[in-house]
Structure formats: C-alpha cells, structure tokens
Amino acid sequence: AGDPQPISRLPVVSYFFAIGLAFLFIEIAFIQKFMLFLHHPLLTASVVLASFLVFAGLGSNWSKRYSRQQRYRRGVIWSVAGILLTGATYLLSLDTLLAALVVWPTGARVAVSIALIAPMAFFMGMPFPLALTSLGAGAGTLIPLAWGVNGCASVLSAVLATLLAIHFGFSVVVLLALLLYILAAWNFRFVSTTFVSE
C-alpha cells in the first residue's frame, strides 16, 4: 500500500545476524545431543547436517508460497512459531525420548534422529529466503549486506555455539537460539513494513 519507503539498515542487520546465529546454534546443539544417542561422531555429524540441509531446503521451497503472494511477514511469523513450538517440545521431552530409544538398533536410531530433526529444520529453512525475497522486492541494494551479515554470524556461531554447548549444555544453546528467532521476527516487523505491502 503506497510507495516503498527508505529502510534503515539496522533491522536488516539485526534480522540476518540473529537467524545466522540461531540456525547454527540449533544445528551444533543437535550434533552434541544426538552424539549421545547415535554413539559415533562421524555418523552423528553426517545424519544431523544432512537432515538439516535437506529439510531446511524443503522449508525454503515451501516458503515460495508466501513469497508469490508477497506475504513475507506472515511466512516469517508462522515459521518462527513453528520453530518455537518444536524447540520448546524438544527442551521438555527430547532427553526422555532419546533415553527410551537408545537401546534400538543403529538404523532405527538414525531414522528416529532424522524424523526428530525434520520438523525443526523445515521451519528453520523459511526465515532466510523469505526475508531475502522481501528485500529484493523493495530494497535490493541491501541484499549483499544481508548475505554478508548472515555469513559473518554463521562463522561466529559455529565457535560460540560449541563453547556454550560444552559449558552450559544443549538446553541453554537451544533456548538462546529460540530467543534469537523471536528477536528476528520482531525486527522483521520493521523491515517488512518499511518497504513491502502486505
């Protein structure tokens, strides 16, 4: 509604930095958690990373439904809500579930791991492409900034998440990631309303 308005860089930087940190926080926390379940570092890293890549890719593809209708904000809100719901569920019940299933054969435990990662990764695949497409619709000159900030956050988060996971554990890292996704959704409210019609 109306012509695009100038956009502040701060919401863009905050948004893409937050989701860059949050994505890797959850990914690395899951590697740590499933290491105890799958009992093999290489197998765990392969299963967790591949699952996140595949299902985040499916989530990214699904987000095109929102992009085609220019409902970027709605897509971000729904995806973050899905992340929060699955994340909270895992914080409350993942330890108990994995402890009950740890006696299962390796193949079955791999299948369970993929099934547990899938919904979280699916929702996590949506915030980045939705925001990037939203930028392209009204502030394309900021796309390089978004990529750079997100890449920087991803590099930092790999080290930071590992340190936090070692010292404070899975729950703290996932909780921080959920808070970062809330921050991202809050920032996107300003990003989207400055230059994109809803």
Side-chain angles (χ1 to χ4, degrees):
D3 295 331
Q5 299 299 316
I7 178 171
S8 168
R9 291 170 180 250
L10 183 58
V12 175
V13 170
S14 299
Y15 180 90
F16 283 95
F17 192 79
I19 63 172
L21 283 178
F23 194 101
L24 266 293
F25 272 21
I26 290 178
E27 203 170 50
I28 290 174
F30 271 59
I31 290 175
Q32 182 206 40
K33 177 59 65 177
F34 283 92
M35 192 91 68
L36 302 174
F37 183 59
L38 296 175
H39 305 312
H40 193 288
L42 183 58
L43 176 63
T44 302
S46 300
V47 169
V48 173
L49 294 177
S51 298
F52 270 102
L53 288 174
V54 169
F55 289 102
L58 292 175
S60 176
N61 187 63
W62 176 268
S63 72
K64 293 177 183 177
R65 297 166 183 260
Y66 294 104
S67 296
R68 283 195 292 265
Q69 300 173 8
Q70 294 190 341
R71 294 182 174 179
Y72 310 109
R73 196 195 315 174
R74 179 176 297 184
V76 169
I77 289 172
W78 278 107
S79 61
V80 170
I83 293 167
L84 295 177
L85 179 61
T86 52
T89 301
Y90 292 158
L91 286 175
L92 293 173
S93 61
L94 189 60
D95 283 340
T96 302
L97 179 62
L98 295 184
L101 302 181
V102 73
V103 296
W104 283 19
T106 301
R109 282 183 281 122
V110 167
V112 167
S113 300
I114 294 171
L116 289 171
I117 291 168
M120 174 74 89
F122 180 84
F123 290 121
M124 287 168 58
M126 298 174 67
F128 182 81
L130 281 168
L132 206 63
T133 307
S134 179
L135 280 182
T141 56
L142 294 180
I143 289 177
L145 174 66
W147 274 105
V149 168
N150 188 259
C152 178
S154 298
V155 172
L156 291 175
S157 64
V159 176
L160 186 57
T162 302
L163 292 174
L164 289 171
I166 291 171
H167 290 286
F168 301 106
F170 171 84
S171 296
V172 169
V173 177
V174 172
L175 182 59
L176 286 173
L178 299 183
L179 292 174
L180 286 166
Y181 274 114
I182 293 172
L183 173 64
W186 183 75
N187 271 296
F188 192 76
R189 184 170 58 120
F190 297 106
V191 172
S192 63
T193 53
T194 51
F195 61 87
V196 176
S197 340
E198 284 294 324

